[in-house]
Amino acid sequence: NAGVMQNPRHLVRRRGQEARLRCSPMKGHSHVYWYRQLPEEGLKFMVYLQKENIIDESGMPKERFSAEFPKEGPSILRIQQVVRGDSAAYFCASSPAQGSEQYFGPGTRLTVT
Amino acid sequence: QKEVEQDPGPLSVPEGAIVSLNCTYSNSAFQYFMWYRQYSRKGPELLMYTYSSGNKEDGRFTAQVDKSSKYISLFIRDSQPSDSATYLCAGGTANAGKSTFGDGTTLTVKP
């Protein structure tokens, strides 16, 4: 049973470009979460999605960031007009139900030059 | 004040020691708690999930939750050099998706 998959693993973008991060949850999981981790810091919640619905986006910056989890295909975290402060590791997690254990993917390391 | 607090360490122990990792939290609505192990530049690996108060054991790992004092612990028995990593605790409520994480405790187990 494959775990949570994320791609790309590493992404380099110049300031002002767009970054698209993809996450495929574990088989049978319909709940997806995105977290950001800055160097030497813990995981910060960004957004929680179920298929075709954003349930909680309280941790998402109001501008430039968006997320989706379509009926078919992976969840996408999109960052428009990236700035250097967006450089971080972005982790996706999935769970079989709300409030149950969350399993993390390997992360996408975004570097903005 | 952060919702979940962890002593950042670093914590260094000899191989075979019992390790105690601790977190405190402020949100009395938290119902479930998780412990993760994270190696450098890797994704967090779920070690333990517990719901409400009490103890849970899995192999060398024991998780304890004391909701009355808002204190959670992870014990590692017979620690190994391969346990050297950062350990993250987290809490959340069953009717919400988000989990709140501590900043992690760095553990080194010396051979």
Side-chain angles (χ1 to χ4, degrees):
Chain A
N1 188 13
V4 178
M5 298 174 66
Q6 291 188 249
N7 64 80
R9 297 290 305 277
H10 301 275
L11 183 61
V12 180
R13 285 288 178 266
R14 292 197 183 101
R15 279 178 297 171
Q17 290 184 320
E18 178 179 290
R20 283 192 177 223
L21 288 61
R22 289 177 290 279
C23 169
S24 295
M26 286 179 71
K27 187 176 181 180
H29 289 192
S30 59
H31 301 253
V32 165
Y33 316 79
W34 286 94
Y35 294 85
R36 178 164 62 178
Q37 188 173 42
L38 294 169
E40 307 304 323
E41 291 189 16
L43 292 159
K44 304 301 181 190
F45 169 80
M46 299 181 74
V47 62
Y48 163 41
L49 311 101
Q50 293 181 35
K51 283 286 187 181
E52 301 184 276
N53 289 301
I54 296 174
I55 308 301
D56 181 354
E57 55 182 348
S58 59
M60 195 91 102
K62 292 291 186 285
E63 299 178 351
R64 303 188 297 108
F65 286 72
S66 62
E68 62 177 10
F69 189 15
K71 186 176 180 180
E72 300 291 337
S75 175
I76 306 286
L77 179 68
R78 182 182 178 204
I79 312 172
Q80 296 178 291
Q81 299 176 318
V82 296
V83 300
R84 287 222 172 104
D86 297 332
S87 295
Y90 291 83
F91 291 98
C92 167
S94 73
S95 69
Q98 183 171 290
S100 67
E101 62 272 25
Q102 297 179 20
Y103 296 89
F104 279 81
T108 294
R109 299 192 180 277
L110 173 65
T111 301
V112 180
T113 61
Chain B
Q1 182 191 5
K2 293 183 179 179
E3 270 192 298
V4 179
E5 298 269 11
Q6 277 187 268
D7 184 337
L11 181 61
S12 181
V13 300
E15 183 176 355
I18 297 174
V19 177
S20 173
L21 301 164
N22 307 295
C23 288
T24 58
Y25 64 95
S26 58
N27 190 338
S28 58
F30 281 176
Q31 295 167 294
Y32 69 84
F33 304 89
M34 299 181 288
W35 282 97
Y36 290 85
R37 177 173 63 193
Q38 186 176 26
Y39 295 113
S40 181
R41 303 186 71 79
K42 302 290 186 183
E45 173 192 2
L46 179 66
L47 295 174
M48 301 289 274
Y49 172 92
T50 54
Y51 190 89
S52 196
S53 284
N55 294 358
K56 183 176 181 179
E57 185 175 323
D58 185 0
R60 296 185 296 114
F61 299 94
T62 300
Q64 287 185 352
V65 175
D66 182 347
K67 293 189 74 178
S68 62
S69 58
K70 298 190 181 68
Y71 196 84
I72 61 176
S73 301
L74 178 72
F75 297 95
I76 307 174
R77 291 181 297 281
D78 188 25
S79 56
Q80 302 296 310
S82 59
D83 293 327
S84 299
T86 297
Y87 289 78
L88 302 167
C89 64
T93 57
N95 63 353
K98 65 181 285 188
S99 296
T100 303
F101 282 78
D103 287 345
T105 298
T106 301
L107 170 68
T108 300
V109 181
K110 296 184 176 180

